[in-house]
C-alpha cells in the first residue's frame, strides 16, 4: 500500500456505478432526508462510502483468521 506524503492531497481512484432509476431516487431521497435531519450536508456519495465500509467490515469478519 502506498504511503501518503505529509501535506500532499490523497490520490483517488474512480469507479462508475450504474443504478436502476428507482434505486437512484431512493438514495437521493435518503441523502436529502438525512441532510435535513442531521443539519449537516449528507451526499449520495457519503452514503455509498458508508455502505462500502459496512460491506468491508462484514466480509473482513467472514475471512479466515479475522476472529468473530
Amino acid at each position: 500500500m502506498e504511503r501518503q506524503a505529509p501535506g500532499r492531497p490523497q490520490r483517488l481512484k474512480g469507479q462508475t456505478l450504474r443504478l436502476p432509476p428507482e434505486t437512484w431516487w431512493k438514495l437521493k431521497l435518503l441523502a436529502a432526508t438525512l441532510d435535513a435531519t442531521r443539519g449537516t450536508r449528507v451526499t449520495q456519495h457519503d452514503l455509498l462510502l458508508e455502505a462500502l465500509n459496512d460491506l468491508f467490515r462484514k466480509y473482513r469478519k467472514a475471512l479466515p483468521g479475522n476472529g468473530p
Side-chain angles (χ1 to χ4, degrees):
M1 180 174 260
E2 184 179 327
R3 291 189 179 193
Q4 189 63 32
R8 292 184 64 197
Q10 181 181 13
R11 295 189 328 180
L12 302 175
K13 293 280 201 171
Q15 180 67 49
T16 301
L17 177 66
R18 306 255 184 233
L19 301 172
E22 182 179 337
T23 304
W24 186 87
W25 277 108
K26 285 179 182 179
L27 185 61
K28 184 176 181 72
L29 179 60
L30 179 59
T33 301
L34 290 174
D35 189 281
T37 303
R38 294 179 182 174
T40 59
R41 185 81 172 121
V42 178
T43 65
Q44 293 175 57
H45 185 259
D46 295 332
L47 295 177
L48 290 170
L49 290 178
E50 182 180 335
L52 281 173
N53 284 324
D54 289 346
L55 181 72
F56 295 145
R57 273 192 295 276
K58 173 186 173 183
Y59 281 100
R60 204 170 295 133
K61 288 180 183 176
L63 293 174
N66 285 328

